[in-house]
Amino acid sequence: MLEAIWIACAFALGLAVRAIGLPPLVGYLAAGFAVTGLGQWIQFPAYDGKVINHLAHLGVLLLLFTVGLKLRVRNLVQPEVIGGGLLHFLIAVILFSPAMYVLLEVSYYEALLLGVALSFSSTVLAAKVLDSKRELRAFHGRVAIGILVVQDLLALLVISLAGDTSPSPWALLVLGLPLLRPLLFKLLDVCGHDELMVLFGLLLALVIGGLGFEHLGLSSELGALAFGVLLAKHKRATELSNSLWSIKEIFLVGFFLQIGMSGLPGMDALILALLATVLLPLKGAVFFLLLVLFKLRARSAFLSSLALTNYSEFGLIVAAIVLPEWLVPLALTVAVSFVISAPLNRIAHPFYERLSKKLLRFERDIHHPDQQPLSLGDAEVLIFGMGRTGTAAYDQLKERTPRLIALDSDPGKVDRHRKEGRNVLFADAEDQVFWQGLEMNRVRAVILSMSDIEAKIISVRQLRQRGYQGFIASHTLYPDEADKINTAGADETYLTMSEAGVGLAEHVQEQLQERSA
């Protein structure tokens, strides 16, 4: 009975908010509060909250495991990640704690813990938003996720110090996890492509990573993330992530429902939520200024900061352990920050374009780690996006068209392709500054092989607005997306699966002709 109510409310409100242009997760949050409110008027079966809490926990573990599959450890050990994460934590606690003490009239200790809880940003929301836009591996996405990992480690430290539990002496064994990588690679190789691979992912994320870390006195979330990172360099890491996608999405609905079902807010909750909402822009501004200080361009700093401008589910964990009376107020605060942050992140790129003139004033006049090319030299063919489709197109053209260049927004992917001898540069097609300074006078054809539909549309429009008259080809999976890309100015947009079928049929026909000759 309860499960039917959860599903019905989540679907109805998720569909409703999507119709007005908001992410469905906002509807799931509203559904949680709606179920709690209906419970005062309708006699529901007895319920202790364990089922929805367990589903939510599984969803978080799977999300962090799939995030880990897309991370590179060397990308985390960067000044902007470690320095930005630690400095923001200290500044946020220094700013938030006095505000909590003065306005909420709590003790120094409670004010400090509330400041700590509000200093964290949501790993779940940021990862989900970035993943939905396929920006986890973009420069700003990697910076945001790296800072969240730093914050998660700080949250683990706070929980250990403030709570009654501490890591087991056996926790030092996790330092030897990299030694397991060859074994994990071998197991993934022999799992095939079906349900056994899915079970292997669940085993690592929920059992060995999640439950195993808990038994060591460590965070299960950290364990799921760690095992994802161990497999990140495997050639089938993306396939494993995709295979877990549907399961992860369903369980994450439980996470957002859980926040809303923490209880109906009282006056204290409303005051805290209002105060925290007022402070939310300050939290984002501190992130932006710190990242600019660490040499990032204004655009990368803004996009990373926007993904981090929210409050974290880890705040609820802190509250459950040491501030149980503040659990419902913090749940409302987190929910409100999600409602604000999710729509803003959805329009992050056009939002930056509107603010770019003001934000560029803060950019330092130095070499930036996310610097982009100003000239494509004598290249005649340009490929945007070096995934499987872009790489296949590059390899097919390189013998016939030596003046070939490719661009990708994932620095790690760029490094790999350059080592393999391909002419690939780092660039983000959705960056307006990139287009303003780009010289591509000799380019005669452009191939758009990015996975994100918005990136393709923006690229086509920017090319045509700059007066480019050459050939533009793209690909997509869906006919409605093909229409949008062509309307923006592309010459041809191919349906990937249809073209694969046509190519396969042509190959078979050639073989039949050769054998009959």
Side-chain angles (χ1 to χ4, degrees):
M1 175 64 179
L2 278 175
E3 291 83 356
I5 295 172
W6 295 342
I7 294 171
C9 285
F11 176 77
L13 291 176
L15 190 63
V17 300
R18 184 176 184 177
I20 60 175
L22 295 176
L25 66 88
V26 175
Y28 306 151
L29 288 167
F33 286 113
V35 169
T36 304
L38 287 173
Q40 297 186 341
W41 305 96
I42 302 175
Q43 188 65 38
F44 290 149
Y47 167 65
D48 58 7
K50 291 183 178 179
V51 175
I52 193 70
N53 293 345
H54 185 60
L55 290 176
H57 185 57
L58 295 181
V60 171
L61 294 183
L62 286 175
L63 176 66
L64 293 176
F65 178 71
T66 55
V67 168
L69 289 173
K70 300 176 182 180
L71 284 180
R72 301 291 186 271
V73 174
R74 67 176 182 177
N75 295 334
L76 301 179
V77 190
Q78 300 294 332
E80 63 269 15
V81 171
I82 298 177
L86 293 176
L87 285 175
H88 187 277
F89 174 75
L90 293 174
I91 294 172
V93 172
I94 291 172
L95 293 176
F96 288 176
S97 297
M100 299 297 113
Y101 177 74
V102 172
L103 298 175
L104 297 180
E105 298 181 353
V106 295
S107 66
Y108 290 115
Y109 181 67
E110 285 181 312
L112 177 63
L113 289 178
L114 285 173
V116 169
L118 294 176
S119 70
F120 301 128
S121 300
S122 173
T123 303
V124 174
L125 179 64
K128 183 171 176 57
V129 167
L130 290 169
D131 191 33
S132 67
K133 297 190 296 179
R134 296 173 176 85
E135 294 179 357
L136 275 173
R137 287 184 174 175
F139 187 89
H140 64 272
R142 293 189 299 104
V143 170
I145 293 299
I147 289 175
L148 288 165
V149 171
V150 172
Q151 287 188 345
D152 291 348
L153 294 174
L154 289 171
L156 174 63
L157 178 62
V158 170
I159 292 171
S160 300
L161 295 176
D164 297 327
T165 60
S166 59
S168 162
W170 293 100
L172 293 174
L173 291 175
V174 302
L175 298 176
L177 282 180
L179 299 176
L180 295 178
R181 182 178 281 120
L183 174 61
L184 297 178
F185 276 31
K186 183 64 176 178
L187 288 173
L188 183 54
D189 285 333
V190 301
C191 280
H193 302 275
D194 300 317
E195 68 277 0
L196 197 59
M197 181 176 64
V198 177
L199 286 174
F200 180 60
L202 294 175
L203 175 69
L204 293 180
L206 308 181
V207 182
I208 302 177
L211 192 61
F213 269 54
E214 277 189 3
H215 281 301
L216 295 175
L218 299 172
S219 165
S220 56
E221 289 83 1
L222 180 62
L225 180 68
F227 274 89
V229 171
L230 284 178
L231 287 175
K233 290 187 176 182
H234 195 282
K235 60 184 179 181
R236 293 178 58 196
T238 300
E239 181 186 353
L240 176 59
S241 175
N242 293 338
S243 70
L244 295 170
W245 188 85
S246 296
I247 302 174
K248 171 197 70 177
E249 291 295 300
I250 292 298
F251 285 164
L252 277 179
V253 173
F255 169 79
F256 295 111
L257 281 170
Q258 175 199 37
I259 293 179
M261 292 171 63
S262 299
L264 290 177
M267 186 55 65
D268 287 342
L270 294 175
I271 293 174
L272 177 61
L274 178 61
L275 176 59
T277 302
V278 172
L279 293 173
L280 195 56
L282 177 62
K283 182 175 186 176
V286 173
F287 269 124
F288 175 78
L289 293 174
L290 284 173
L291 292 177
V292 169
L293 180 66
F294 279 103
K295 303 180 182 180
L296 266 65
R297 292 184 304 123
R299 180 180 183 273
S300 297
F302 177 81
L303 295 177
S304 297
S305 301
L306 198 61
L308 298 167
T309 304
N310 45 62
Y311 296 114
S312 173
E313 58 281 352
F314 269 113
L316 305 182
I317 299 174
V318 173
I321 296 174
V322 294
L323 292 173
E325 67 276 16
W326 288 98
L327 181 59
V328 172
L330 282 171
L332 177 63
T333 300
V334 171
V336 170
S337 77
F338 282 15
V339 172
I340 295 172
S341 180
L344 286 178
N345 275 279
R346 188 170 184 176
I347 59 169
H349 296 282
F351 191 22
Y352 171 76
E353 289 181 11
R354 294 186 61 182
L355 299 175
S356 59
K357 291 183 180 179
K358 295 180 180 179
L359 296 176
L360 285 171
R361 299 173 186 172
F362 296 92
E363 191 171 283
R364 299 177 65 184
D365 187 17
I366 55 175
H367 177 77
H368 307 286
D370 51 338
Q371 199 77 45
Q372 300 185 94
L374 296 177
S375 173
L376 300 182
D378 61 351
E380 295 182 349
V381 178
L382 169 62
I383 299 176
F384 278 107
M386 286 297 285
R388 287 179 295 181
T389 303
T391 303
Y394 187 102
D395 291 342
Q396 181 70 18
L397 289 169
K398 66 181 180 181
E399 298 298 332
R400 305 175 185 175
T401 311
R403 296 190 183 94
L404 179 64
I405 193 170
L407 305 175
D408 198 279
S409 63
D410 179 1
K413 191 181 294 182
V414 171
D415 290 342
R416 176 170 60 81
H417 282 298
R418 291 177 71 88
K419 289 177 182 178
E420 293 174 358
R422 300 184 182 95
N423 184 22
V424 183
L425 300 177
F426 167 78
D428 191 336
E430 297 182 70
D431 186 351
Q432 189 176 15
V433 176
F434 161 71
W435 291 105
Q436 290 173 352
L438 184 64
E439 296 180 4
M440 47 181 296
N441 300 328
R442 299 191 180 184
V443 174
R444 296 189 297 151
V446 176
I447 298 174
L448 303 177
S449 56
M450 306 92 86
S451 55
D452 184 31
I453 174 66
E454 290 299 325
K456 294 173 184 174
I457 293 174
I458 289 174
S459 298
V460 174
R461 287 175 178 167
Q462 290 286 356
L463 284 165
R464 294 310 187 198
Q465 287 173 7
R466 295 182 72 255
Y468 177 72
Q469 300 297 322
F471 184 75
I472 301 177
S474 181
H475 80 96
T476 185
L477 292 173
Y478 308 107
D480 59 325
E481 291 185 353
D483 292 338
K484 293 178 181 178
I485 297 170
N486 289 335
T487 301
D491 295 290
E492 297 284 350
T493 300
Y494 301 96
L495 295 175
T496 307
M497 294 305 176
S498 298
E499 291 300 317
V502 171
L504 182 61
E506 290 178 350
H507 180 69
V508 171
Q509 189 174 11
E510 290 174 0
Q511 292 296 318
L512 290 175
Q513 291 175 350
E514 289 179 3
R515 295 188 180 190
S516 61

